[in-house]
Amino acid sequence: MIETLTIQRFRGIRECVFQNLGKVNLILGGNNAGKTAVLDALEFLARDGHPAALSGIAARRSGEKDTLGETLPSGVQYLFYQGEKSFFLESEGTFQRSILATLHDLSEQFQRENIGRIELIRNGQKAETYAYGEVLHNSTSPRIGSPIKVQMIL
């Protein structure tokens, strides 16, 4: 059970800490108050930062097709609060997880919009790096239509 949930720089939430959570919790708020962002953060934590969760959340938020297997949707950049370059999610209690996601925008380097990578650190240990947006072929030039595979970094 999650007793404390911390959300920093995720979607429309700059910083929020929910404490003393119980088995059933009610989230109330007006339109665009962040209720779905809290649920997205919980989903991402529950799925241990799996790229399918990240891809699905980004696709739902941006209206893009979920393209997992090629790259993450370019809308993944909108999961970061107001242009921030990282977000942090943490749950405490019997279900303990932490995820730090860092955005690396490569648009300027490749002279294309919406292209980059996201690095995930799970529970304090470096996990994976995922490409988003237009796919990258190699480190010197983008080649549209050539998928980049998920790279495991251990």
Side-chain angles (χ1 to χ4, degrees):
M1 185 171 89
I2 297 174
E3 296 171 7
T4 302
L5 174 66
T6 302
I7 303 171
Q8 296 175 342
R9 301 174 309 277
F10 182 72
R11 292 198 39 209
I13 300 173
R14 184 173 58 95
E15 186 167 0
C16 183
V17 178
F18 295 93
Q19 296 177 326
N20 303 315
L21 296 172
K23 290 182 180 180
V24 176
N25 301 279
L26 181 63
I27 303 171
L28 297 173
N31 290 341
N32 206 27
K35 301 177 301 291
T36 305
V38 171
L39 296 176
D40 287 344
L42 284 168
E43 176 187 359
F44 198 50
L45 281 167
R47 295 179 69 186
D48 200 23
H50 192 278
L54 190 62
S55 182
I57 293 166
R60 283 195 307 270
R61 302 314 324 151
S62 66
E64 293 179 73
K65 180 183 173 193
D66 189 345
T67 58
L68 184 63
E70 295 175 11
T71 63
L72 294 170
S74 60
V76 76
Q77 61 189 318
Y78 300 114
L79 299 180
F80 295 81
Y81 178 78
Q82 296 184 0
E84 293 282 341
K85 299 298 180 194
S86 68
F87 67 74
F88 177 74
L89 308 173
E90 181 176 49
S91 62
E92 297 175 14
T94 56
F95 181 82
Q96 294 190 9
R97 295 251 167 87
S98 68
I99 298 173
L100 174 64
T102 305
L103 178 73
H104 300 277
D105 186 350
L106 303 176
S107 299
E108 197 171 297
Q109 179 181 344
F110 292 105
Q111 299 177 351
R112 298 193 186 278
E113 291 185 30
N114 300 324
I115 189 169
R117 62 185 171 87
I118 293 181
E119 178 183 272
L120 295 179
I121 297 176
R122 294 188 192 125
N123 302 314
Q125 298 188 17
K126 195 168 187 174
E128 295 99 13
T129 300
Y130 302 99
Y132 73 86
E134 291 185 43
V135 293
L136 300 173
H137 178 64
N138 59 40
S139 61
T140 57
S141 64
R143 213 164 137 194
I144 299 168
S146 301
I148 185 171
K149 299 299 179 193
V150 173
Q151 300 170 352
M152 299 297 292
I153 300 174
L154 300 175

